[in-house]
């Protein structure tokens, strides 16, 4: 709702604004472009993939399709999430194939002027640099924009 | 529109080429039945016709030469000797290439093309031009002498009236190309007659209103002029009148009438290749046998002289079953839907079972009926996708020919079980691995004719390609009678390339299987054919990608056999639902020999880690599935209580230990391709009745990865021999 009101206020500028969905992973705020997201589901137990790396939680049934679920927190090198009913799975699309990403909770939809996006300052963390494509300041907190392609590329360890 | 017609043409080309190939192979095998010869002739002729309509000149020119030479054979004017058959076979291969180039673009091998044309031209008699027009016959050779075609060495002027019917446009024919062809023969005057063109308001854009009056002066014989219109026969109203011979030859005109004028309405249903779903009972472009004189007509149409021509043709043909050509995507949508239906059934069944209702027997009976129906539908749909491997095998015959001539060896391919039906996707994806295996067989397996002779073998190497159904799977075997695997060399190469340690002790079969290691290529030098750095590992990957497996067995001096075992369908299988470390999993029923509940007495330790299960006096190694999949913690080493006795392709038995067996049911296979990489021990996934996903296990790969059983096979053999 909040996002809607806001975009109405700025209808003139609306065209150049992009909408992002923000969510938290291991206490940190992240976001994805709303067009990248297919749906958001409540967490339900997944089927474990044998020999899978720790950031691949397993697979789940999405209306007849088998989709892999990644733990975003583990993927970012943060602690692994103990998934529960309170958590959400964000279903995104990779080359037309759906992939689920486990997040702690979804926060809100925010409109961002592309010009507000700042480059990721260099920090000493390889994972961060790889998976974050920019940062924005929203309500005085830092929101990290996820580089979706990097996150959902099938990790080589699985082979 | 034009694109889709062209697609249809190329599809037909595939079939026609297969027919040509098949016919030539039969001829090669000694069958000189006129019907076979005619079938080949018709197929090539139809290719030429279709290619002409699309302006594929190179293809037309080549097909024309092929056809002309073959016509000589057909008329018994030329003997089909071995060199000619080989030339025709190679020409047929080249036709495949030309069609492929026309479809996909690219370049033909010009030198090869010219060489074949030159070779074919040697067989073409001088007066070839006069014979180009000959109506195709379906009922046997046509007495061409009956049509007395006037020889026209001097220039002649023809008045041609040409009025296309609307069907001619819908089959992709273009008057322009016809006129262009006429113009090449001499001065051509074209007068458009648009008198039938209605006013704009009543104009039907699909209807044909135009006709043309053409005046052609040419030194070509009349037959050549007529040949231009050969492929719009029945699709137009046509009259050709020579200025000089208008009354001279009534017989020829009668023949013309039979071909063009008299029965356009009867003939139109025969050639209508525009719709995607099409009756292929009568191949398009083919016309019923035109008979030279009206009196002879009853003979051609058999007992029903009054029957419409097109119909009588159908009944005269050997009578293939009527078929539909359906877009593959539609079939696949149906298959997916049926898959969902079966999952849906299991969900329903489970929910009804969970209901707290006293009497659900009636519901369960109905549900059982539902299940059987769903299964019927499913089997029906799957059988739509199933196709005989014949076309694939025919392609392989070409590969062997090409490979033989490239290596100057002589080999023949013997095929068996061509009618074995396999899922279309499997057939498509088998083409590359089979090609590879066959090329390898010719290149590395079969020896040179000299070496074969000195080894007391037939100079001609034999490669046997067979397909058969074997207990729920398809078995494809490639067997050559060559030298077999050169084991010392294979081992040395593997050592040189660092694939195995220098002091490795390997059994014969293990050495043979080294061929499948990535980066292994035994060719001493890179030959044109095989040994391009990609080796048999590519073949193995392709086969395992289809859920199958490949084995090699070899006897030095006698030859090698590659055996490919593939699942019958890629969509559904019967599985046993088991639980392993709190996860539900499915084991393919085809690999299970027996299930049993074990107790401690049956378990025997062997060494530090090995455990053997004693079954009626013999001992088989136990493989803990949870352990092999990395799901069980180290400290919990109590073996679970239920065992699935499985037998591998090589006949070795092993006991898979699982926690419990729940159910036996049909499951829909969901590929894990693109979901994650290949997982050792897991073949695919499925969705169970409760909507949960379960892994479908691959017993063979579990046994291969499990540390306890990988080395235990030999032990098992020794133990069972001892007991």
């Amino acid at each position: 709702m909040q996002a809607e009101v806001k975009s109405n206020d700025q209808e003139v500028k609306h065209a150049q604004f992009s909408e992002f969905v923000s969510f938290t992973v291991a206490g940190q705020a992240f976001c994805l472009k709303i067009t990248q997201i297919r749906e958001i589901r409540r967490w339900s137990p997944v089927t474990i993939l044998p020999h899978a790396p720790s950031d691949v939680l397993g697979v789940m049934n999405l209306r007849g399709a088998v989709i892999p679920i990644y733990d975003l927190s583990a993927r970012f090198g943060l602690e692994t999430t103990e998934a529960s009913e309170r958590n959400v799975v964000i279903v995104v699309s990779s080359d037309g194939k759906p992939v689920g990403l486990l997040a702690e909770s979804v926060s809100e939809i925010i409109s961002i002027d592309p010009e507000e996006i700042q480059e990721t300052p260099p920090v000493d963390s390889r994972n961060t640099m790889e998976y974050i494509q920019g940062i924005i300041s929203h309500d005085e907190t830092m929101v990290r924009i996820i580089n979706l392609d990097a996150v959902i590329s099938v990790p080589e360890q699985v082979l | 529109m034009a694109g889709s017609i062209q697609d249809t043409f190329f599809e037909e080309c595939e079939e026609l080429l297969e027919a040509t190939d098949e016919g030539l192979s039969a001829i090669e095998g000694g069958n000189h039945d006129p019907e076979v010869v005619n079938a080949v002739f018709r197929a090539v002729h139809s290719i030429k016709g279709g290619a002409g309509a699309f302006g594929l000149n190179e293809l037309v020119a080549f097909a024309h030469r092929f056809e002309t030479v073959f016509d000589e054979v057909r008329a018994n004017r030329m003997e089909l000797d071995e060199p000619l058959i080989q030339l025709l076979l190679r020409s047929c291969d080249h036709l495949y290439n030309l069609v492929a180039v026309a479809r996909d673009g690219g370049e033909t091998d010009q030198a090869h093309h010219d060489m074949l044309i030159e070779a074919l031209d040697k067989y073409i008699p001088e007066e070839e031009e006069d014979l180009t027009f000959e109506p195709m016959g379906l009922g046997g050779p046509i007495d061409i002498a009956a049509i007395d075609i006037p020889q026209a060495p001097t220039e002649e002027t023809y008045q041609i009236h040409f009025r296309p019917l609307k069907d001619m446009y819908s089959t992709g024919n273009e008057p322009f190309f016809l006129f262009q062809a006429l113009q090449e023969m001499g001065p051509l005057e074209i007068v458009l007659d648009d008198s039938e063109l209605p006013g704009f308001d009543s104009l039907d854009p699909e209807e044909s209103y135009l006709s043309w009056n053409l005046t052609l002066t040419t030194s070509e014989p009349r037959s050549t002029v007529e040949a231009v219109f050969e492929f719009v026969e029945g699709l137009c109203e046509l009259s050709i009148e020579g200025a000089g011979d208008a009354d001279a030859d009534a017989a020829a005109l009668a023949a013309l009438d039979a071909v063009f004028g008299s029965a356009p309405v009867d003939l139109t249903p025969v050639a209508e290749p525009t719709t995607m779903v099409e009756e292929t009972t009568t191949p398009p472009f083919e016309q019923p046998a035109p008979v030279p004189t009206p009196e002879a007509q009853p003979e051609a149409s058999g007992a029903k002289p009054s029957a419409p021509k097109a119909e009588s043709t159908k009944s005269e043909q050997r009578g293939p079953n009527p078929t539909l050509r359906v877009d593959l995507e539609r079939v696949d949508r149906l298959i997916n839907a049926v898959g969902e239906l079966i999952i849906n059934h299991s969900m329903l069944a489970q929910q009804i079972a969970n209901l707290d209702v006293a009497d659900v027997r009636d519901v369960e009976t109905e549900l059982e009926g539902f299940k059987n129906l769903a299964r019927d539908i499913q089997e029906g749909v799957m059988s739509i996708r199933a196709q005989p491997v014949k076309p694939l095998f025919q392609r392989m015959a070409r590969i062997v020919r090409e490979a033989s001539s490239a290596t100057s060896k002589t080999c023949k391919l013997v095929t068996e079980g061509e009618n074995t039906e396999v899922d279309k996707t499997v057939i498509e994806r088998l083409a590359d691995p089979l090609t590879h295996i066959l090329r390898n067989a010719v290149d590395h397996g079969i020896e040179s004719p000299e070496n074969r002779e000195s080894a007391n073998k037939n100079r001609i190497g034999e490669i046997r390609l067979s397909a058969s159904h074997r207990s729920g799977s398809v078995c494809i075997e490639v067997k050559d009678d060559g030298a077999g695997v050169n084991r010392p060399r294979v081992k040395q190469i593997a050592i040189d390339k660092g694939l195995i340690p220098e002091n490795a002790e390997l059994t014969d079969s293990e050495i043979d299987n080294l061929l499948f290691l990535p980066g292994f290529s035994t060719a001493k030098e890179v030959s044109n054919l095989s040994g391009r750095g990609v080796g048999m590992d590519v073949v193995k990957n392709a086969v395992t990608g289809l859920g199958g497996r490949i084995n090699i067995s070899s006897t030095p001096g006698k030859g090698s056999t590659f055996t490919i075992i593939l699942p019958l369908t890629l969509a559904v299988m019967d599985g046993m639902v088991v639980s392993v470390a709190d996860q539900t999993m499915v084991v393919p029923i085809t690999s299970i020999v027996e299930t049993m509940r074990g107790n401690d007495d049956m378990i025997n330790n062997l060494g530090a880690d090995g455990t053997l299960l004693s079954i009626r006096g013999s001992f088989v190694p136990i493989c803990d599935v949870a352990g092999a999949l990395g799901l069980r913690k180290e400290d919990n080493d109590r073996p679970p209580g239920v065992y699935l006795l499985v037998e591998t392709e090589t006949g070795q038995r092993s006991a898979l230990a699982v926690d419990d067996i729940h159910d036996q049911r049909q499951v829909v296979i969901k590929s894990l391709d693109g979901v994650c990489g290949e997982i050792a021990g897991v073949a695919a996934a499925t969705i169970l009745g409760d909507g949960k996903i379960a892994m479908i296990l691959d017993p063979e790969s579990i046994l291969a990865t499990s540390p306890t059983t990988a080395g235990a096979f030999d032990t098992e053999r020794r133990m069972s021999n001892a007991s």
Side-chain angles (χ1 to χ4, degrees), chain A residues 113-130:
Chain A
D113 184 339
E115 285 173 18
E116 286 176 36
I117 298 174
Q118 304 165 26
E119 277 187 27
T120 327
V123 286
D124 188 21
S125 168
R126 199 178 55 86
N127 276 1
T128 314
M129 297 305 287
E130 201 177 322

Side-chain angles (χ1 to χ4, degrees), chain A residues 45-51 59-61 63-68 70 97 154 158-159, chain B residues 340 583 628-630 670 672-680 682 687 691-693 695:
Chain A
V46 295
T47 302
I48 296 170
L49 284 173
H51 305 303
V59 288
M60 69 172 225
N61 170 16
R63 290 182 297 278
V66 178
I67 69 167
Y70 298 155
K97 284 187 173 161
V154 176
V158 180
L159 303 164
Chain B
E340 295 303 315
Q583 295 273 318
L629 294 177
K670 298 275 177 182
L672 287 172
D673 270 1
V675 173
C676 58
E678 196 181 316
I679 304 171
V682 175
I687 300 175
K692 285 263 178 56
I693 290 171
M695 296 293 135

